[in-house]
Amino acid sequence: MSEAMLTVKDLNVAYGGVQAVRGISLEVRAGEITALLGANGAGKSSTLLAIVGSVKPGSGRVTFEGQDITAQPPEALIKKGIAMIPEGARVFARQSVEQNLHLGAYIVRDQAVYRQRLQQVYALFPRLQERREQLAGTMSGGERQMLAIGRALMSGPRLLLIDEPSLGLSPLLVEQVFDALAELNRQHGLSVLLVEQNMAQALEVAARAYVMQSGRIAIEGTAAELAASDEVRKAYLGM
Ligand code: ATP
């Protein structure tokens, strides 16, 4: 069994009087895609933002490979090998595709490593290579999501945290983006925490999953267990 790479223990997040995350614990195992699922407002994004220190948790602990990383700045996490793609795939609109990728590699000093990563990103998303001179702001939603993933990969992460990559994409593009995550996981051993509302498609690529409801983990298990569970099928998959 693979061991836990990222561990979240008893995490609480509150915004003023609103308790968004109510004492959740979860783990992402090395070499696996783990999905964090749930409806609008369940507390998924707040969990992710607290993991990367963008939101200060009221209490709880986050560890990465055994080290406490609770409330560390983004730069420290990137250096440890953690990359985060926030919801909405924000890219630098007035910069070209390739400039965006270059910006993602700001911690990379070795030119050979930089070129190799760029080639890997272009091999994964040939569309980005075709459009390398295009301004990122003029790319389609799906292309921007690919660019956001590509930019995150330029830092050479071992763990990728990604918030709702399917948002606003057509089913075909969702499949392409999820296929890319699966390929990165299979071929490069990239570990992923995939935050998603699109439960059916997320369960196809994930090894295990957690379902959040009103700030708590309501259900957890392997993706196969969740996909077969009557509760999940009725309440979340509309079957
Ligand atoms: P979605 O899929 O819609 O993004 P989510 O599961 O990611 O939902 P969160 O965005 O974490 O859920 O929101 C959880 C709760 O916290 C919601 O009730 C939301 O309104 C509230 N919330 C989120 N961000 C803030 C904020 N900055 N200030 C106040 N309340 C917030």
Side-chain angles (χ1 to χ4, degrees):
M1 205 195 299
S2 49
E3 55 194 88
M5 186 179 217
L6 181 82
T7 309
V8 173
K9 190 114 184 59
D10 301 327
L11 188 75
N12 279 285
V13 178
Y15 305 101
V18 179
Q19 183 84 28
V21 178
R22 299 163 184 268
I24 73 160
S25 296
L26 59 84
E27 64 177 40
V28 178
R29 296 185 187 177
E32 284 192 358
I33 298 181
T34 298
L36 181 60
L37 308 166
N40 254 315
K44 308 179 299 296
S45 299
S46 301
T47 300
L48 211 51
L49 292 170
I51 291 173
V52 298
S54 296
V55 158
K56 195 174 179 307
S59 59
R61 215 167 111 92
V62 184
T63 53
F64 178 67
E65 296 178 334
Q67 280 183 307
D68 193 333
I69 59 158
T70 318
Q72 289 217 353
E75 187 148 333
L77 299 187
I78 286 180
K79 288 194 174 140
K80 286 192 194 313
I82 305 173
M84 151 86 162
I85 305 174
E87 194 173 312
R90 288 188 285 268
V91 295
F92 297 102
R94 298 163 76 93
Q95 308 266 5
S96 72
V97 165
E98 195 151 301
Q99 281 164 337
N100 267 270
L101 294 174
H102 188 79
L103 289 166
Y106 73 95
I107 62 162
V108 181
R109 309 234 174 260
D110 185 331
Q111 273 304 309
V113 171
Y114 171 76
R115 279 194 298 274
Q116 186 196 10
R117 292 212 182 126
L118 193 62
Q119 286 321 310
Q120 278 172 356
V121 169
Y122 284 154
L124 184 67
F125 298 120
R127 174 65 63 94
L128 295 183
Q129 185 160 28
E130 286 163 25
R131 305 293 176 93
R132 52 198 280 252
E133 308 285 349
Q134 189 172 324
L135 288 185
T138 63
M139 300 279 276
S140 74
E143 290 166 348
R144 279 204 301 275
Q145 190 64 61
M146 291 173 197
L147 180 55
I149 296 173
R151 192 179 59 192
L153 293 176
M154 292 300 292
S155 66
R158 287 176 294 126
L159 173 65
L160 184 68
L161 310 171
I162 183 164
D163 196 355
E164 272 191 62
S166 77
L167 199 72
L169 301 191
S170 68
L172 185 66
L173 277 171
V174 175
E175 203 171 310
Q176 280 180 20
V177 167
F178 281 20
D179 282 352
L181 292 176
E183 192 179 325
L184 286 163
N185 171 254
R186 247 191 338 263
Q187 294 194 357
H188 303 281
L190 183 70
S191 311
V192 180
L193 179 59
L194 169 65
V195 168
E196 260 302 331
Q197 273 193 56
N198 186 334
M199 199 179 286
Q201 276 180 295
L203 287 177
E204 283 179 21
V205 295
R208 51 187 59 249
Y210 296 85
V211 182
M212 278 188 87
Q213 213 174 21
S214 310
R216 293 195 170 87
I217 303 288
I219 312 168
E220 63 179 274
T222 65
E225 283 164 0
L226 264 68
S229 132
D230 277 344
E231 187 185 355
V232 170
R233 290 161 70 87
K234 281 199 198 108
Y236 296 99
L237 299 176
M239 293 179 185

